[in-house]
Amino acid sequence: MIKAQTAWPIDWDEAFDNAGHVPEAAAMAARWAGEAAVLRSAARAELDLPYGSGVRNRFDLFRPAGAAAGLVVFVHGGYWHKFDKSAWSHLAAGPLAQGWAVAMPSYTLAPEGRVAQMTGEMAQAITAAAEEVAGPVRLIGHSAGGHLVSRMACENAPLRADVAARLERVVSLSGLHDLRPLLGSKMNDILRLSEAEAAAESAALLAPRMDLDTLFWVGAAERPEFLRQTRMIAEIWGEGGARVRDHYDPGHNHFTVVAELARPDSDLVRALIG
């Protein structure tokens, strides 16, 4: 078990500052917005399907041309307080081209929503999407979304039993798995994490499902904290006997690594649905 940290010897704001270390991040976000809008209008899209009573409890569902091989659910990032599903629609292109349906949910963001609430909402969203598409279910989430899908790979994930039984693979992409360092960051003014909630929502501190294939994937050029957390959870869960792998994608930073999901022939897409 990882010991809780009571002092913060490094600058955690700097450690989590992805955009500040990727000068082209703003330009990429602007380009992606246009690409996402194109796919939303061109694909077989069912938009703003409800999965709960909250304003942001909606998901978009993209269907392939033929019968779906199964369902991929993509959970977006933004440090639990930014973005929504519409900014990432273009990333459905890779799995869609391989015959998989893709669901993309929004969720209640901080400070209105707590991280534990977001975990519950993702379980609801996955369940609602799974009711729309038959077959196996695979999850992929980026950054904060990587944390949320990792929580679905835990023994205490709040997934309905029949949906949990269909879940075959979880890919946590640049995820955070120990939330306690966030207590030492200015970001926690927005997240409002307590020590108890940070520990309870840290997948690295929880028991994993032993029957699930879980892949922790990170860009090799990302911030050291993301590399550390990827290595940490893979080692902890792997030593406990879980079916886990970790992969450090050469040359990719926090933003280019997720862009690979839009390419049908990318290593990331093959790892997700292969």
Side-chain angles (χ1 to χ4, degrees), residues 6-25:
T6 56
W8 309 101
I10 68 173
D11 183 345
W12 289 109
D13 295 307
E14 169 70 9
F16 294 121
D17 183 13
N18 291 305
H21 290 268
V22 181
E24 64 272 25

Side-chain angles (χ1 to χ4, degrees), residues 208-264:
R209 280 180 53 177
M210 295 298 179
D211 61 336
L212 192 61
D213 181 21
T214 307
L215 173 58
F216 299 103
W217 188 292
V218 67
E222 295 204 40
R223 303 292 295 139
E225 178 63 8
F226 286 81
L227 301 176
R228 183 187 75 84
Q229 292 222 8
T230 297
R231 186 175 300 109
M232 173 186 64
I233 192 168
E235 290 178 353
I236 292 171
W237 280 17
E239 288 172 1
R243 290 163 42 193
V244 300
R245 295 171 288 153
D246 53 340
H247 178 77
Y248 304 83
D249 206 353
H252 283 292
N253 60 46
H254 192 73
F255 304 99
T256 61
V257 71
V258 69
E260 291 293 287
L261 191 57
R263 293 201 306 112

Side-chain angles (χ1 to χ4, degrees), residues 59-62 64 68-75 91-92 94-96 98-105 126 129-130 133-141 166-167 169 171 261 269 272-274:
F59 69 98
D60 295 339
L61 180 61
F62 303 93
L71 173 69
V72 167
V73 181
F74 172 82
V75 183
L91 299 181
L96 274 175
Q98 299 293 346
W100 287 68
V102 181
M104 294 191 170
I126 293 162
V133 180
V137 177
R138 300 192 178 185
L139 309 181
I140 182 166
R166 290 171 56 190
L167 183 57
R169 182 171 300 160
V171 180
L261 191 57
V269 170
L272 172 63
I273 64 174

